[in-house]
Amino acid sequence: MALRPSTSCHRAAPFAPAAAASARPRRGTLCLAAASRPAAALRTRPDAAGRRRCECFDLHHQIVPYAEAFAWQKSIVKRRIGLLASGEDPSDTLIALQHPPVYTLGSDSNREYLHFNREDAPFEVHQIDRGGEVTYHGPGQLVMYPILNLRYHKEDLHWYFRSLEEVIIRALKSAFFIKASRVEGLTGVWVGDQKVAAIGIRGTRMIVYHGLALNVTTDLAPFKLIDPCGIKDRGVGSIKAILQKESGGREIDDRLLMDIAYSSLMEEFAEIFQLSLDISPHCSFQ
């Protein structure tokens, strides 16, 4: 069933003004600098002239069933491939959303990383065409699906993986003063020994899809029923858990945290891939 919401896309609400530079918050406090304007303000930037256009569907507060989002990606990829012969592919695409609780497995995933009977799974399970092992998606996790034609960027999947990681690393630093990093030999983004973001992609004729999933306010309990990404000796973390630990457990508004993470990721994504973001005012997924 195609995803066809009847309302316009949700946009990030305006934030309180950012603190002055002299009042730089310590790690563990919320930095509003990256989110001191609504996400719609990212639509037009003074330095965006000459950049490739990227149509953005902002559903970052909406819970979208996994099967519908996957079918949506596939339909966009099919249309984009159809444009290759004519050499007319004027725009990339970015979808931001959340999913209901679901486990997804890559095309060659090993079932030993599931700690439950798949026929009696606690949530939906989907085996899809990305690479990698099992992971979990759920509310509070910000999922971003870029659908890019790497012919207009760099025809190198390794570069693309590292670029997505860099988007997340920069976003966590600029918005929250969280020092995140890569781990040699592994894909994703880490804070200490906790994985806060997973990345999985598939490329077809240099058009890439799937993308990244950042744990913002995610309930981490469902990760205990799997070995996330096939990794047994490291944990999983979230932005909220990290900030609460650093701030002595103070309460944090989940919606605000999601808005800040979304705005920061969007800004870093546009910068790293040198794209001009065009946030669609209507979510018509034709």
Side-chain angles (χ1 to χ4, degrees), residues 98-283:
Q98 299 177 51
H99 288 305
V102 60
Y103 293 109
T104 67
L105 296 86
S107 55
D108 296 317
S109 286
N110 191 328
R111 295 196 182 189
E112 74 175 70
Y113 301 129
L114 302 179
H115 302 311
F116 55 82
N117 185 329
R118 185 169 174 178
E119 285 64 45
D120 189 29
F123 307 118
E124 287 186 7
V125 178
H126 293 270
Q127 187 148 21
I128 51 173
D129 60 354
R130 64 163 172 81
E133 297 291 346
V134 61
T135 194
Y136 166 78
H137 301 298
Q141 183 187 74
L142 179 55
V143 179
M144 298 183 76
Y145 293 128
I147 303 172
L148 306 185
N149 186 338
L150 293 188
R151 291 176 176 83
Y152 294 92
H153 299 278
K154 186 174 182 178
E155 296 184 48
D156 183 333
L157 292 179
H158 179 79
W159 168 85
Y160 182 57
F161 270 114
R162 303 294 81 80
S163 296
L164 289 179
E165 290 168 347
E166 188 66 17
V167 168
I168 301 163
I169 290 168
R170 291 188 188 183
L172 293 181
K173 181 178 180 181
S174 64
F176 306 109
F177 291 94
I178 292 175
K179 184 179 180 181
S181 62
R182 301 175 179 87
V183 172
E184 186 175 358
L186 300 176
T187 298
V189 173
W190 308 76
V191 177
D193 63 353
Q194 293 187 328
K195 190 171 188 176
V196 296
I199 296 173
I201 66 170
R202 179 175 174 82
T204 301
R205 298 178 66 182
M206 280 296 136
I207 293 178
V208 289
Y209 58 109
H210 295 294
L212 65 89
L214 174 63
N215 296 328
V216 182
T217 63
T218 324
D219 176 8
L220 301 178
F223 284 102
K224 296 178 181 179
L225 297 178
I226 60 174
D227 294 322
C229 303
I231 301 169
K232 297 177 178 288
D233 58 350
R234 291 174 181 265
V236 177
S238 70
I239 294 174
K240 183 175 182 179
I242 292 166
L243 294 178
Q244 286 187 321
K245 181 179 179 180
E246 293 292 330
S247 64
R250 75 178 179 88
E251 288 299 314
I252 299 173
D253 182 270
D254 286 3
R255 188 178 181 89
L256 176 63
L257 203 59
M258 182 64 73
D259 283 338
I260 295 172
Y262 168 76
S263 292
S264 187
L265 280 175
M266 291 285 281
E267 185 158 350
E268 298 299 343
F269 177 82
E271 287 303 304
I272 287 174
F273 290 100
Q274 291 292 286
L275 290 166
S276 175
L277 304 184
D278 185 1
I279 299 178
S280 178
H282 302 290
C283 289

Side-chain angles (χ1 to χ4, degrees), residues 13-35:
F15 299 97
S22 60
R24 183 182 181 90
R26 66 179 177 84
R27 180 183 170 192
T29 63
L30 289 181
C31 170
L32 304 185

